[in-house]
Amino acid sequence: MNIVVLGAGAWGTALAISAVRATDMHRRVSLWARDAQQAADLQQHRENRRYLSGVVIPETVLIATGPLGSGSPLLVGADLVIVATPMAGLRAMLTLLAGLRVPVAWLCKGFEAPTAPVGGLLGHEVCAQVAPDLRAGVLSGPSFALEVAHGQPTALVAASEHAQVRDVLVAAFHSPTLRVYANDDIAGVEVGGAVKNVLAIATGLCDGLGLGMNARAALITRGLAEMTRLGLALGAKAETFMGLSGLGDLVLTATGDLSRNRKVGQLLAQGMNLQQAVDSLGHVAEGVYSARTVAQRARSLGVDMPITDAVVALLDGDLQPAQAVALLMGRDPKDELL
């Protein structure tokens, strides 16, 4: 199997490393970096010193750079192409790959920045616009790149409406340390991956203010209800949100110390402004960029998402941390299942 990973950030690098650990020895794994200087550094040091410091990249991972397109030498003979860019780069990458006849899957989680009144699009909606004939899907679930790179046990979801895409993702990455489940509900999997980042900011705020475990549990549970409401409005299945890409990814991102989105909430609670918090991370926190889009998409569908709305007001500077908590706690009583 010939696997090409496009994007040498933390997650792309970790997945390339993980791919060579799988039991099938007859495979070729290439890791493509957009920046030629970064590619040279990866090749020289066999380490992603910027995004995944301290993790050795095996010699069996081939480092690549250069122009891309469906006829690119790197992609000729590929059996699977993984797009490991942030959500902001997905549209351009899928446009380049539109002519491919092999499965393509992306790793990014979130909504695209809005370009219309309806709000931003999920990955599969972007793909339907720019590469409708592509056999595509998403690989998602509760996963910190550092733990995957170190071979710590992880479970992911391969979601696509195409059985071939699900099957090849499982074959490519299922290993003794990485379990991959298949799911045909790509809308549900993508909604979970997008909304959990926003909810993790709220939970980080809660932890940063020292509000306790009761408050954290309430935020996670009510956040899951918000996520599910939006997903159902977008055609997802309710049971998807009880799985790895819903509840699983939410719990990890909302409570894990490696979560960048949770860290943003903690830093805001400590008195930093948004720019200071983002600058201190050194990595992308997708929830910061997708929170407004999630809220806009929810409004266009008539979906109530009070925690998301509070996060947006906090990020925009319209609410202070303590005010955001007071706003949520001061809402009128209602039935739990609504």
Side-chain angles (χ1 to χ4, degrees):
M1 181 180 288
N2 184 353
I3 303 168
V4 178
V5 180
L6 303 177
W11 192 208
T13 303
L15 203 61
I17 293 171
S18 182
V20 301
R21 291 199 189 103
T23 54
D24 177 8
M25 300 301 294
H26 302 290
R27 61 175 58 214
R28 174 189 176 99
V29 179
S30 301
L31 177 63
W32 177 87
R34 181 184 302 276
D35 181 66
Q37 185 174 351
Q38 185 197 13
D41 192 78
L42 293 172
Q43 182 62 53
Q44 179 182 351
H45 297 280
R46 303 308 300 184
E47 177 187 350
N48 193 328
R49 297 192 296 170
R50 179 177 180 184
Y51 294 111
L52 214 56
S53 178
V55 179
V56 175
I57 301 175
E59 294 291 338
T60 46
V61 175
L62 305 176
I63 306 300
T65 190
L68 289 177
S70 58
S72 166
L74 175 66
L75 301 178
V76 173
D79 298 300
L80 172 64
V81 176
I82 299 294
V83 178
T85 65
M87 178 57 71
L90 182 62
R91 178 178 291 268
M93 189 63 75
L94 291 180
T95 301
L96 285 174
L97 302 177
L100 282 183
R101 293 293 178 260
V102 299
V104 173
W106 48 87
L107 308 179
C108 47
K109 301 174 181 179
F111 284 83
E112 187 181 48
T115 55
V118 70
L121 303 179
L122 291 164
H124 74 280
E125 295 173 318
V126 174
C127 187
Q129 283 191 349
V130 301
D133 296 328
L134 207 61
R135 286 171 288 173
V138 63
L139 190 63
S140 191
S143 50
F144 288 139
L146 183 62
E147 293 189 2
V148 171
H150 280 305
Q152 293 179 267
T154 302
L156 298 175
V157 179
S160 174
E161 63 180 19
H162 304 283
Q164 180 195 11
V165 176
R166 301 193 298 269
D167 290 346
V168 76
L169 284 169
V170 172
F173 298 110
H174 197 89
S175 74
T177 61
L178 186 61
R179 186 169 183 84
V180 184
Y181 292 84
N183 192 326
D184 63 0
D185 182 17
I186 190 169
V189 168
E190 289 206 301
V191 169
V195 178
K196 59 94 181 182
N197 286 326
V198 182
L199 301 174
I201 295 175
T203 311
L205 178 71
C206 166
D207 291 345
L209 291 172
L211 300 182
M213 299 297 180
N214 295 347
R216 177 197 281 183
L219 271 174
I220 290 174
T221 307
R222 295 310 302 166
L224 181 63
E226 287 193 14
M227 176 191 294
T228 304
R229 286 197 296 269
L230 180 60
L232 293 178
L234 288 168
K237 301 174 184 177
E239 55 267 31
T240 298
F241 301 99
M242 294 297 107
L244 289 165
S245 61
L247 179 61
D249 212 355
L250 174 57
V251 169
L252 179 75
T253 313
T255 65
D257 289 338
L258 293 175
S259 169
R260 297 188 294 272
N261 293 284
R262 176 174 179 263
K263 187 65 175 177
V264 167
Q266 290 177 305
L267 294 174
L268 293 174
Q270 293 168 14
M272 283 191 183
N273 62 41
L274 179 58
Q275 192 60 55
Q276 290 170 330
V278 170
D279 289 346
S280 72
L281 294 178
H283 295 261
V284 173
E286 288 281 8
V288 172
Y289 305 102
S290 63
R292 298 171 189 84
T293 310
V294 171
Q296 184 178 354
R297 192 75 189 266
R299 282 195 300 272
S300 74
L301 295 166
V303 176
D304 185 32
M305 299 188 71
I307 298 175
T308 298
D309 289 339
V311 169
V312 171
L314 179 70
L315 296 177
D316 286 346
D318 297 331
L319 287 179
Q320 295 301 308
Q323 292 174 318
V325 174
L327 177 66
L328 291 172
M329 293 303 295
R331 299 182 75 232
D332 291 338
K334 63 184 296 185
D335 290 344
E336 182 189 13
L337 299 182
L338 295 177

